[in-house]
Amino acid sequence: MSMPYTRDMRNSVEAPKGLRRQAEILAVARQLLVEEGYDRFVLREIAARVGMTLGNLQYYFRTRESLIGALAHAESEADRKVLEEISDGRCSGDVRLTELTRSLLKRWSGDGGKVYAVALFLSLSQTPFRDVQRQIYERFYEQLLPILTELTPGSRRSVLLDKARLITALLDGALVQLHNGAPSATTKSQEHFIDRIASQVVTIAR
């Protein structure tokens, strides 16, 4: 599957200057999406904040949809690094899966979760975003499989993938709950909620 923003980025990756400019655009765009929401996520405003013309911005990202797709992939890459750090095998599968759940949900309770929430919402009605979500999910499933295999050795791949999908569904639901005020915004309440989710993730894995 091709990513919907690949063509927009092709020229920008040819030189370090282009990569730096692209990173600057993504940082500004992420801040605008988090602070103002999707309705006010306009390329012209992003271009103004970056200090470039709209035409120059569209050299990197032709549409706001391609830019949001790039933001979602950037969040996914950050999650991948979290998972790699936790999945180094020094602890048991239960401990690593619990720590992974806690780390991701704590990260998603902040700005990263807002980016994901927008991408998830758009994927319900727009094919390009469904493709982005599918890529992100498939990559996440593959990263979960080694831990799931350790916890239930001998399981068929299809069974492990079903578990990965159930875990992902639970995490997605927790993300929405965290940003909709249930549980309450108190640190203690959120910590308890995240701990309960982590416990359920381990249950599904086993």
Side-chain angles (χ1 to χ4, degrees), residues 109-128:
S109 66
D111 292 347
K114 294 180 181 179
V115 174
Y116 268 145
V118 171
L120 279 169
F121 173 76
L122 293 172
S123 72
L124 298 176
S125 59
Q126 299 187 34
T127 299

Side-chain angles (χ1 to χ4, degrees), residues 16-202:
K17 182 179 179 181
L19 287 174
R20 290 194 298 270
R21 198 59 162 160
Q22 176 186 304
E24 182 182 3
I25 293 169
L26 288 172
V28 170
R30 185 179 190 271
Q31 182 179 12
L32 180 63
L33 185 62
V34 167
E35 294 178 352
E36 304 291 341
Y38 178 70
D39 289 342
R40 300 189 66 177
F41 189 82
V42 180
L43 290 187
R44 192 175 299 279
E45 174 64 20
I46 296 168
R49 293 190 181 200
V50 176
M52 63 195 312
T53 66
L54 177 60
N56 284 340
L57 174 63
Q58 290 179 309
Y59 175 82
Y60 296 91
F61 300 101
R62 188 169 56 85
T63 65
R64 72 173 182 169
E65 287 75 22
S66 66
L67 184 46
I68 293 175
L71 288 173
H73 275 288
E75 295 298 331
S76 173
E77 177 63 16
D79 289 345
R80 182 189 66 78
K81 292 179 180 178
V82 170
L83 195 148
E84 282 186 349
E85 292 174 359
I86 293 171
S87 301
D88 59 6
R90 289 178 296 179
C91 303
S92 69
D94 284 358
V95 172
R96 298 204 311 279
L97 197 53
T98 297
E99 182 58 29
L100 171 64
T101 301
R102 287 173 175 162
S103 296
L104 289 179
L105 289 182
K106 286 178 181 177
R107 207 178 82 77
W108 294 349
S109 66
D111 292 347
K114 294 180 181 179
V115 174
Y116 268 145
V118 171
L120 279 169
F121 173 76
L122 293 172
S123 72
L124 298 176
S125 59
Q126 299 187 34
T127 299
F129 287 104
R130 282 197 290 273
D131 292 340
V132 169
Q133 289 301 125
R134 189 177 299 113
Q135 291 163 25
I136 290 173
Y137 283 148
E138 289 177 352
R139 189 160 55 239
F140 188 63
Y141 300 155
E142 290 299 324
Q143 290 172 309
L144 282 179
L145 286 181
I147 301 178
L148 298 178
T149 300
E150 177 185 328
L151 291 174
T152 54
S155 295
R156 297 192 308 274
R157 179 179 171 85
S158 60
V159 173
L160 296 174
L161 283 173
D162 280 345
K163 290 183 178 182
R165 294 185 184 103
L166 286 170
I167 289 170
T168 303
L170 181 59
L171 294 176
D172 282 348
L175 160 65
V176 174
Q177 292 292 316
L178 285 168
H179 283 279
N180 283 341
S184 66
T186 65
T187 300
K188 185 176 181 180
S189 178
Q190 287 196 354
E191 289 283 352
H192 178 68
F193 177 72
I194 290 173
D195 285 343
R196 291 290 300 276
I197 294 296
S199 175
Q200 292 301 312
V201 166
V202 172

